[in-house]
Amino acid sequence: MRYRTVIVDDHPIVISGIAGLLTDLNNIEIVKKFESGIALLDYIEDHHVDLILMDIFLPVINGVDLCKTIKQKHPKIVIIGMSSQSERSLVMQFIQNGGNGYILKNASFDEFKDCIYKAIDGEIVFSEEVKTIISQPLSEDLERIPALSRRERDIALLLSQGKSTQEIADDLFLSFLTVQTHRRNILQKYKMKNVAELIAFLLKNNMMN
Amino acid sequence: MRYRTVIVDDHPIVISGIAGLLTDLNNIEIVKKFESGIALLDYIEDHHVDLILMDIFLPVINGVDLCKTIKQKHPKIVIIGMSSQSERSLVMQFIQNGGNGYILKNASFDEFKDCIYKAIDGEIVFSEEVKTIISQPLSEDLERIPALSRRERDIALLLSQGKSTQEIADDLFLSFLTVQTHRRNILQKYKMKNVAELIAFLLKNNMMN
DNA sequence: CTTCTTTTACCTGATATCAGGTAAAAAAAA
DNA sequence: TTTTTTTTACCTGATATCAGGTAAAAGAAG
C-alpha cells in the first residue's frame, strides 16, 4: 500500500526539500503540496489522504487549529507537525489537538523516515530534539522558579476555581485577612500584577494540581 | 545488557501482577518493588536503576511530582507512568515532567512489552487506550463549548497577561466601557465567576493562543 | 538552640471588578 | 436582502482586589 501524502508549508523551498527526502521512500506518495491551510481543507474534502506533514507556523490559520479541524472530520488521517524552532507548550497543544507526531525541521533524514513510519503505524512520535524540549524544562525553567508553599497552593487552586477571598477563607477556615495576605505574597513572589496573570503563569508552568 | 527495573505501586497485588508479566522478558531485571515514592527516592540515591514503572496515584507524593524529582537528579532513568483510569491532562503533565511513557493498567502483555522496549530505546510511548484519550476530546469536549469571537480572544489574551480593563482599552484603542462589556460577555458565555476562573478554563481547554 | 520560612492575623485607602441595565453601528450568515 | 452575531459604547452601585504597612505564633532547617 502506498500512503497518499500531502505537505503543507508556506516556504516553497522547504516543501521541495521535504518532498526530495520523501521520494526515496517507496510507499510514500506525495500527491499534493500546499502553501496554506485553507487550500488543504478544501482538498481533503474531495480527495483521499493518508498522511499530512504540516508546518506549524502558517499564515491565516495556524497548524494547531488546522490539525484540530482536520481531525474532527477525518480522524484517520495521520498528521505530523513540523517547525524550525519550537517550544514545549506548542508541541503539547498540537498533540492534544490530535497530532500524531512532531518533528523539528533540522532532523536527519533517518529521523524523518523513522518518525513517519512509526506514525503511520499508530504511534505518537517526536524527533530527538523535540523529546529533549518537552522534558528538559526541568533543568532550566522549573529550578529557578520558587515553589508555592502548601498553603499557597491551596489558595491558588481555589482562586483558579473562581472563589473570592471570603469564600476561600470560609473553605479553609481562615480569616479573610489571612487569605488576603497569602494572595498578596503569591503575587509578589512571582511578580504578577493580578490573579488572572498568576493563574495563567501557574498553569503554563505546571505548578497547580 | 539487563535493565535494572523498579516497580512502584501502592497495591501489592498490582506489583506482583506486573512483576509476573515482566519476568518473562529476559533483559528486564526487577531489582526492587516499592509501595511509596519516598522509599524509592531513598533507594535510587544508592543504587543503579535503569527503568521505573510507577503508579500515578500514590499516597503522600503523587506520580507526577515523583517523576519530576527523579528526573532532575537522574535524567537517564526511563520512567513509565501507569494508572487504572486516566484523563488527558494528567498524561500530558506526566510527560511534561520528564515521563517517557504512559500505560493504562488494562493494557495487554504485548502492549506492556512493546512500550517498555520502545521507551528503553528512547521513544516516548503510550498504550493504545492512552493514545485515544489524549486525542479524542475533539469530539466531546470541544464541540459543545462555544468559541470565543476574535475580539473576545484578544481581550482574554490580554487579561491572561495581567492587564487591567483600562490597559486593554488602551492597547486595542477601544473605550474602557467596551472592554468592560466584552469581558462581561465572555464571563457570562462560559458561566465563570471572575477572570481568574475564566483564564483557568480557557487554558485547560486550549482556547487561548 | 538558633535561624529562616511559613502560616496566621490585622488596618487602611485607592482602584478595579462584577452585575444589572440599554443600544446602535458593523460585520457575517442565512 | 433580511436576520443574527459581533463589536462598539454608555451609566450606576455594590463588592472585591491590590498595595502599603506591621507582627506574632508555629514549623522546618541549620
Side-chain angles (χ1 to χ4, degrees):
Chain A
M1 178 199 170
R2 284 169 74 79
Y3 291 94
R4 297 175 63 82
T5 303
V6 172
I7 303 175
V8 192
D9 200 307
D10 57 326
H11 307 293
I13 303 151
V14 176
I15 291 190
S16 73
I18 295 167
L21 286 177
L22 298 187
T23 44
D24 293 357
L25 307 181
N26 54 8
N27 54 348
I28 300 289
E29 178 188 3
I30 296 163
V31 292
K32 202 78 182 173
K33 302 159 187 175
F34 292 104
E35 292 180 34
S36 104
I38 308 295
L40 170 67
L41 286 173
D42 285 343
Y43 181 81
I44 58 173
E45 289 310 310
D46 307 324
H47 302 80
H48 177 74
V49 170
D50 299 298
L51 173 64
I52 298 173
L53 295 173
M54 61 164 69
D55 188 20
I56 293 301
F57 299 104
L58 291 169
V60 191
I61 182 169
N62 69 63
V64 175
D65 289 343
L66 184 59
C67 178
K68 179 161 74 178
T69 309
I70 293 169
K71 280 283 182 172
Q72 274 169 351
K73 285 206 165 184
H74 309 277
K76 284 184 182 169
I77 297 178
V78 172
I79 304 179
I80 297 177
M82 305 178 296
S83 58
S84 300
Q85 299 94 241
S86 188
E87 51 160 325
R88 193 174 76 265
S89 71
L90 190 70
V91 177
M92 300 315 258
Q93 255 191 59
F94 187 73
I95 300 302
Q96 281 180 53
N97 283 308
N100 300 80
Y102 203 103
I103 308 177
L104 278 197
K105 286 181 186 169
N106 65 3
S108 67
F109 174 58
D110 282 342
E111 270 188 278
F112 260 96
K113 191 179 122 185
D114 254 46
C115 287
I116 289 169
Y117 281 143
K118 282 174 181 164
I120 287 171
D121 210 47
E123 287 184 41
I124 289 176
V125 290
F126 303 103
S127 69
E128 286 307 316
E129 218 174 311
V130 174
K131 277 186 235 171
T132 61
I133 287 170
I134 56 180
S135 59
Q136 239 186 7
L138 303 165
S139 43
E140 301 172 77
D141 262 10
L142 292 172
E143 273 189 332
R144 64 182 171 206
I145 299 175
L148 285 167
S149 74
R150 190 165 308 168
R151 210 40 156 179
E152 287 171 345
R153 198 164 53 241
D154 293 343
I155 287 167
L157 184 66
L158 293 170
L159 284 171
S160 78
Q161 290 164 12
K163 302 261 172 99
S164 70
T165 304
Q166 187 59 61
E167 288 172 325
I168 294 170
D170 293 344
D171 281 15
L172 300 177
F173 305 105
L174 292 173
S175 156
F176 174 89
L177 297 153
T178 302
V179 177
Q180 209 167 37
T181 302
H182 280 301
R183 199 195 43 213
R184 187 183 39 189
N185 287 340
I186 303 172
L187 289 175
Q188 278 174 352
K189 183 185 277 186
Y190 302 110
K191 296 184 182 64
M192 295 289 142
K193 292 193 204 75
N194 55 38
V195 175
E197 190 184 14
L198 175 72
I199 299 300
F201 171 82
L202 294 178
L203 284 175
K204 283 179 180 168
N205 288 89
N206 267 319
M207 295 171 70
M208 265 170 46
N209 266 331
Chain B
M1 181 200 169
R2 286 169 72 78
Y3 291 94
R4 298 176 62 83
T5 303
V6 172
I7 302 174
V8 192
D9 199 308
D10 56 327
H11 307 291
I13 303 151
V14 177
I15 292 189
S16 73
I18 294 167
L21 286 177
L22 298 187
T23 44
D24 293 358
L25 307 182
N26 54 9
N27 53 348
I28 301 290
E29 178 189 3
I30 296 163
V31 293
K32 202 77 182 173
K33 304 161 187 173
F34 292 102
E35 293 180 33
S36 103
I38 307 297
L40 170 65
L41 286 174
D42 285 344
Y43 180 82
I44 58 173
E45 290 310 312
D46 307 323
H47 302 80
H48 177 73
V49 170
D50 299 299
L51 173 65
I52 298 173
L53 294 172
M54 61 163 69
D55 190 20
I56 293 300
F57 300 104
L58 291 169
V60 191
I61 181 168
N62 70 64
V64 175
D65 289 342
L66 183 59
C67 179
K68 181 162 72 179
T69 309
I70 293 170
K71 280 282 181 171
Q72 275 170 349
K73 283 209 167 183
H74 309 277
K76 284 186 182 170
I77 297 178
V78 172
I79 305 180
I80 297 177
M82 304 179 297
S83 60
S84 299
Q85 299 94 242
S86 188
E87 51 160 326
R88 193 172 77 264
S89 70
L90 190 70
V91 177
M92 300 315 260
Q93 255 191 60
F94 187 72
I95 300 302
Q96 282 181 50
N97 284 307
N100 301 80
Y102 204 101
I103 307 176
L104 278 196
K105 285 180 186 170
N106 64 4
S108 67
F109 173 58
D110 283 341
E111 271 187 278
F112 261 96
K113 191 179 122 186
D114 254 44
C115 287
I116 288 169
Y117 280 142
K118 283 175 180 163
I120 287 171
D121 209 46
E123 286 183 45
I124 290 176
V125 291
F126 303 104
S127 69
E128 286 309 315
E129 221 174 310
V130 174
K131 276 184 236 172
T132 62
I133 288 171
I134 55 179
S135 58
Q136 241 186 7
L138 303 166
S139 43
E140 301 170 78
D141 263 10
L142 293 171
E143 273 187 332
R144 65 181 172 208
I145 299 175
L148 285 167
S149 75
R150 190 165 306 168
R151 212 38 157 182
E152 287 171 346
R153 198 166 53 243
D154 292 343
I155 288 167
L157 184 65
L158 292 169
L159 283 171
S160 79
Q161 290 165 11
K163 302 261 173 99
S164 70
T165 304
Q166 187 58 62
E167 288 172 324
I168 294 171
D170 294 344
D171 281 15
L172 301 178
F173 304 105
L174 293 174
S175 156
F176 175 89
L177 296 153
T178 302
V179 176
Q180 209 167 36
T181 303
H182 280 302
R183 199 192 46 212
R184 187 184 38 187
N185 287 340
I186 304 173
L187 289 176
Q188 276 173 352
K189 181 185 279 186
Y190 303 110
K191 296 183 182 65
M192 295 288 141
K193 293 193 204 72
N194 54 40
V195 176
E197 190 185 14
L198 176 71
I199 298 300
F201 171 81
L202 294 178
L203 284 175
K204 282 178 180 169
N205 289 89
N206 269 319
M207 295 170 69
M208 264 169 45
N209 268 330

